[in-house]
Amino acid sequence: MRATDQTLGLVTPSLSLTARMTVAFGKAASVWRALRNRREIDYLNELDDSQLRDIGLTRQDLSAALTTSTFFEDPSSHLTQSARRCARSSAFTSARC
């Protein structure tokens, strides 16, 4: 390493072992959470339509959550947005989702 590299900021410091392990465990936990939530959405498919309506979801919401997210993405965020959208629209109208 040359002195000019240090003064120009061309050398980037590497992460410590602890920081690298923290990042790796964070990524693994994120993947595990996404896989667990996919399994939970499969359990939601076993509910009937009236039970899904009670929690502000439809069968289309469940299938859209699974098909729009990639394998390692968490599909539950899509369901949360769908339920919130349904709650907002039903608060202003008498129609149910």
Side-chain angles (χ1 to χ4, degrees):
M1 171 169 49
R2 292 181 276 168
T4 57
D5 290 343
Q6 288 179 344
T7 58
L8 294 175
L10 298 176
V11 177
T12 57
S14 62
L15 294 175
S16 68
L17 177 62
T18 305
R20 286 185 289 196
M21 294 297 287
T22 302
V23 169
F25 283 128
K27 298 272 185 196
S30 176
V31 169
W32 176 257
R33 188 176 315 111
L35 293 174
R36 184 190 64 210
N37 287 341
R38 281 187 175 281
R39 191 175 63 235
E40 294 298 325
I41 290 173
D42 284 338
Y43 292 142
L44 286 175
N45 270 323
E46 296 175 4
L47 298 177
D48 63 16
D49 290 335
S50 65
Q51 291 171 324
L52 286 174
R53 257 186 277 121
D54 286 343
I55 58 174
L57 296 172
T58 62
R59 295 230 177 263
Q60 292 80 17
D61 292 334
L62 298 179
S63 63
L66 292 174
T67 57
T68 58
S69 61
T70 63
F71 184 72
F72 292 111
E73 288 179 332
D74 191 357
S76 64
S77 62
H78 177 79
L79 290 181
T80 303
Q81 292 170 357
S82 295
R84 285 183 181 159
R85 190 172 37 250
C86 177
R88 267 186 261 136
S89 67
S90 66
F92 296 113
T93 64
S94 61
R96 295 190 51 105
C97 295

